[in-house]
């Protein structure tokens, strides 16, 4: 015997309120990207979580970076916030690695880093379509 399953009516889609990016959202996003670079470098220096101080730095910087990204996404669209967070974090990580001497400098690295930074700056100024 087959019974009809009673289901609740589909909920009406929620109206999306436009996000308003305040200066604090951008500042926290920048800080979160810096923290992303910090935890990435600490992860490398921890040598698989076998060195204590970098391991502690990683486990502090990583969640702080995520919390900051989450806060920034309250005002900045997810596509923009995430792209800026990852792009800037990656560029800062490579830049710090070059400055610390753990990465070799090359012209192509500088060109591609400039491309990442240019794209991040561009995303800051892109407006959502009406």
């Amino acid at each position: 015997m087959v019974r009809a399953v009673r289901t609740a009516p589909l909920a009406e889609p929620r109206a999306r309120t436009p996000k308003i990016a305040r200066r604090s959202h951008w500042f926290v996003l920048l800080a979160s990207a810096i923290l992303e670079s910090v935890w990435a470098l600490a992860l490398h220096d921890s040598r698989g979580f076998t060195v204590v101080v970098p391991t502690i730095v990683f486990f502090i910087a990583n969640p702080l970076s995520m919390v900051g990204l989450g806060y920034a996404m309250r005002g900045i669209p997810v596509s923009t916030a995430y792209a800026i967070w990852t792009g800037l974090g990656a560029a800062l990580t490579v830049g710090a690695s070059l400055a610390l001497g753990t990465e070799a400098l090359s012209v192509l690295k500088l060109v591609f880093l400039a491309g990442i930074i240019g794209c991040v700056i561009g995303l800051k100024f892109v407006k959502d379509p009406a």
Side-chain angles (χ1 to χ4, degrees):
M1 171 184 237
V2 176
R3 289 188 190 187
V5 177
R6 188 172 199 186
T7 60
L10 295 175
E12 290 291 319
R14 237 179 9 177
R16 293 184 188 227
T17 56
K19 292 184 175 188
I20 299 171
R22 294 188 175 84
R23 198 167 286 195
S24 64
H25 294 116
W26 291 106
F27 176 76
V28 170
L29 183 61
L30 175 63
S32 292
I34 292 169
L35 284 169
E36 181 193 8
S37 179
V38 168
W39 69 250
L41 293 168
L43 181 61
H44 173 265
D45 290 343
S46 75
R47 295 190 180 107
F49 303 119
T50 60
V51 181
V52 175
V53 173
T55 299
I56 292 170
V57 170
F58 170 83
F59 281 110
I60 292 171
N62 185 284
L64 287 176
S65 178
M66 297 294 170
V67 167
L69 176 62
Y71 172 78
M73 285 182 180
R74 289 180 179 182
I76 302 168
V78 64
S79 59
T80 302
Y82 185 71
I84 289 174
W85 181 74
T86 57
L88 195 55
L92 289 170
T93 302
V94 173
S97 296
L98 292 172
L100 294 170
T102 57
E103 295 259 346
L105 180 64
S106 75
V107 173
L108 282 178
K109 278 186 185 177
L110 292 177
V111 167
F112 292 128
L113 277 176
I116 290 172
I117 292 168
C119 290
V120 165
I121 291 169
L123 284 171
K124 162 75 169 94
F125 295 106
V126 171
K127 301 293 180 204
D128 285 336

